[in-house]
Amino acid sequence: MDIRALGYLRVETTRFEEWRTYALDLLGMVAATGTDDDTLCLRMDDRAHRIAVVRSTTDRLQAAGWEVANAAALAEAARELEAAGVTVKHADDALLAERRVQGLIQCADPCGNPLELFWGQAQDHTPLGTPYGNRFVTGDLGLGHVVLPVPDIEAALDFYENLLGFQLRDSMRLPPEGVPTAAEQREFPWMHFLSPNRRHHSLGLYPGALPPGIVHFMVELETLDDVGRGPGPHARRRHPHRLHPRPAHQRPDGLLLRPGARRLPGRVRLGRPGRGPGGLGGQGDHRRQLLGTPMERLSERAVDAAGFRDVLGRFATGITIVAGLGADGRPAGFACQSFASLSLDPPLVMLAVGRASTSWPVIERTGRFCVNILAEHQRETCAAFGRSGPDKFAGVPWSTGEHGTVRIEGALAFVECELEAVYEAGDHHLVTARVLALDAREDGRPLLYFRSRYAVGAFR
């Protein structure tokens, strides 16, 4: 399914006037065509509007609008949804005029979250004129991201990944108090982040139930200073009726449907600048900014891939096989050189997984795996797991570890792990995991890799 980006959001609220003040006076958005006493349409860029807030007797998400390329893509999406048993409603002329799009269908995900797929949203090329001069990052990345509650996380993942075509970009384990409505049979609640484009994520899936039908949504600004810019003393002089000035360090990290709602514990937030040594200028002008060559310039003289492999290949590493059981009980695994200890308290390890790996998504779903550190006699085993294909375990003896992972017989050591977090890092995923159990052979030497060749160290 050819979904391009999160195009717009529509929310209903019982606190309409607070939203008007919050969006226009604090965030610096602009009221768009279609705004009246009961509807606030908000512009952030050259689209007719990106956010619509509707006065209501309830607080809920009315629709998350996902953009497709054209009429043909919308028709194909409707066919695929209907073939999968999803109820699809085609918009009438009145709804198209209200949304200011050329084509639109409505449906819901398996957890009941209302979705709209559309194409051809109207544009408004009049100068935006935000009150603080801030600029929002949209374009082909879309509006930003939205986090939706999905009590049935597996059904939601299947819907967004396998039907809508989103890519899973990141996962985060939440503390139990962060998901009070999570199913009791789950050992730990996972939150997943997906995207249909280059933005790290356009959609977050929260593994719980919330009455409003939305956790939060995010919009992005061009610079860090834009995030902290708000109605300071200069704005108060021009607009005495507006909010009190907000200190520069109080920088919002997202939008909440319910103002003042409690944020999830453990959520990653933007770092706040603290007090620094004197003589560095005013707060917010250059503190916590990266020094050195801008990334745009670095990309112009990118490191040659062959040279990168040659130089980094001089760093000798051990070789491991990361293996676990899929949801169907079948083993899955892959060879991995990029493995290291990370923390002693708590005991954590880290590894890098290629984004093209077909084995890692199978292991990631279950959340547990074993890092098998190979011995010198296991070159053939390593070669088998270094290739793509479904028959990696053919002729390879293995057993199930005490925590339901896969141990390769003959390995030098075993590290059974539980997935902690996954981060996107270039063409790889950086994975951190908590160690559950350890085991090792008393004798044997490791299988090493140096300059693209197997090697054996001279160990006593």
Side-chain angles (χ1 to χ4, degrees), residues 27-182:
L27 300 179
M29 296 180 182
V30 176
T33 301
T35 296
D36 55 31
D37 291 340
D38 295 318
T39 303
L40 175 62
C41 296
L42 298 168
R43 277 187 65 199
M44 298 164 48
D45 55 9
D46 59 359
R47 294 296 182 93
H49 65 268
R50 288 287 193 175
I51 300 170
V53 182
V54 181
R55 190 192 301 272
S56 178
T57 58
T58 59
D59 292 293
R60 73 180 185 94
L61 174 69
Q62 191 179 87
W66 298 95
E67 185 171 12
V68 300
N70 48 42
L74 185 64
E76 179 62 26
R79 285 192 293 270
E80 292 184 26
L81 287 166
E82 290 173 336
V86 178
T87 302
V88 174
K89 180 181 178 181
H90 293 263
D92 57 21
D93 291 341
L95 187 59
L96 293 177
E98 181 182 66
R99 301 293 197 267
R100 303 196 68 184
V101 299
Q102 297 188 52
L104 183 146
I105 59 174
Q106 294 177 312
C107 65
D109 70 14
C111 300
N113 295 303
L115 309 178
E116 295 180 352
L117 274 58
F118 73 92
W119 76 277
Q121 188 178 25
Q123 295 188 331
D124 185 344
H125 295 293
T126 58
L128 188 60
T130 58
Y132 313 122
N134 51 327
R135 296 175 59 179
F136 295 92
V137 178
T138 54
D140 61 355
L141 296 177
L143 161 67
H145 77 235
V146 62
V147 177
L148 302 178
V150 287
D152 190 342
I153 191 73
E154 296 300 331
L157 274 174
D158 181 66
F159 176 82
Y160 285 103
E161 280 191 283
N162 299 326
L163 185 56
L164 268 58
F166 286 40
Q167 291 185 356
L168 181 64
R169 293 289 177 78
D170 207 345
S171 298
M172 177 174 68
R173 189 173 65 175
L174 300 177
E177 61 269 22
V179 193
T181 59

Side-chain angles (χ1 to χ4, degrees), residues 280-294:
L280 294 180
Q283 189 177 30
D285 52 1
H286 62 268
R287 298 182 190 180
R288 288 186 179 265
Q289 294 184 17
L290 296 177
L291 302 179
T293 307

